[in-house]
Amino acid sequence: MDDLYFEDFAVGDSFVTDSESVSEAQIIRFAKEWDPQPFHTDVEAAGRHELGGLFASGMHTLGISFRLFIATEVLAACNIAGAGLDNLRWPRPVRPGDTLHVEIETTAVRPSRSRPDRGSIAMHYVTKNQHGEPVMAFDLVHIVRRRPPAATTATIEDDLGAP
Amino acid sequence: MDDLYFEDFAVGDSFVTDSESVSEAQIIRFAKEWDPQPFHTDVEAAGRHELGGLFASGMHTLGISFRLFIATEVLAACNIAGAGLDNLRWPRPVRPGDTLHVEIETTAVRPSRSRPDRGSIAMHYVTKNQHGEPVMAFDLVHIVRRRPPAATTATIEDDLGAP
C-alpha cells in the first residue's frame, strides 16, 4: 500500500482486514497472561458459566482486531498515537474456532488547531465472526501526520548537498 | 478477600491494585505480537518519533491494568462479563522502567431489569506511574452476579442429602 497521510483520509472511507482464526489454546494462553478469569482459562469452569462455555477475553479480541488493522498498513506511514477509544462493546462471545475479520470506516477527519504537522482521524471498527455477526465494535481516534512537504524537503536537501 | 457480589458494591467504593514495572523488553515483546508499530518495537525508530523514544502500546497498558485489577479478586466471585468500555484515554506515554498501579472507583450500581440474578457495576479506572501521573483512564461496566440465595441453596442441598 502507498504511504497514507492525513490528507488521504475522508469520511466514509472503508477498509477490510484479512481474517484470523482463534483456537481454544490461544484463548487460554492469552487469558492466563492478561485476563486470568476461569471462564477464559478453564474449559470445565467455563461450562458452568452463564455464557455456556469458553470464550475469548475481550482484550484478546481487541488485540487480534488491532493487529489485523495494523497489518493493512493503512496507518504505517502516518500514525503518531491513539488519542482515545470509546463505545467498546462485545455483543456476542468469541468462541474457539471462530474466524475474525475487521471492517473499519472513517467517521471524522479533523486538522489539528495547534499543530500544523498533524490531524486526527476517527474510525469505527467492527469485528465480525465467520457468520458475519459482530463480536466487537469500538471507535478509535488516531493522531496522524500530514504529508511531509516534499518540495521544501527537496530544497533543503539541495541546500545541504544531499543526494 | 471475601467473595463479593452485586449487593456488596456501592458508588464511591475504591480499590487500589498492587504495582507492576514494565521493562523495555516487555514493551517490545508485547508490541511485536499485538501492536507491531516501530515506535513500540524498535528503540532507534522510536527515537525519531514525535513522542521521543520507546513507549508501551496502549493495549499493553490496558492489559497490565486489567491483570492488576483481576489480581485484587474484587470480581473473582461475581464477574459474568464486561458490558462495555468508554472514555479510554492515554494522557502520557508509558516508558521502559515505569511502575504502574491502578486506582478504581465504583461510579454506578444498577440492578438488571430483566435478569434478577445479576446487575451492572460501572467502574472508573485510572492507571498511574511511579510519579503519580495518570497514564491511562477508562470507564468499564461489569455485569456481575447477585449473591446466591444461601437459605434456598441449603434447603435444596438438604433435600438432596448433600453434606
Side-chain angles (χ1 to χ4, degrees), chain B residues 128-139:
Chain B
K128 295 182 178 177
N129 64 20
Q130 66 276 20
H131 308 296
E133 301 165 331
V135 295
M136 187 177 69
F138 60 91
D139 295 296

Side-chain angles (χ1 to χ4, degrees), chain B residues 37-80:
Chain B
Q37 302 188 80
F39 42 89
H40 296 318
T41 61
D42 180 330
V43 171
E44 197 176 323
R48 295 188 297 270
H49 184 273
E50 285 83 347
L51 289 177
L54 196 78
F55 60 103
S57 166
M59 279 187 298
H60 192 179
T61 309
L62 184 63
I64 291 169
S65 300
F66 201 63
R67 175 168 65 196
L68 284 168
F69 186 49
I70 292 297
T72 65
E73 301 191 351
V74 166
L75 298 179
C78 64
N79 196 23
I80 296 177

Side-chain angles (χ1 to χ4, degrees), chain A residues 16-20 65 68 99-103 126-130 132:
Chain A
V16 179
T17 70
D18 284 343
S19 293
E20 184 173 321
S65 300
L68 284 168
T99 299
L100 307 180
H101 75 279
V102 192
E103 302 175 9
V126 181
T127 303
K128 296 183 178 179
N129 63 21
Q130 67 276 18

Side-chain angles (χ1 to χ4, degrees), chain A residues 33 37 50 79-80 145, chain B residues 29 37 49-50 79 145:
Chain A
E33 183 165 9
Q37 303 187 82
E50 286 83 347
N79 197 24
I80 295 177
R145 298 180 187 100
Chain B
R29 182 177 71 84
Q37 302 188 80
H49 184 273
E50 285 83 347
N79 196 23
R145 298 180 187 100

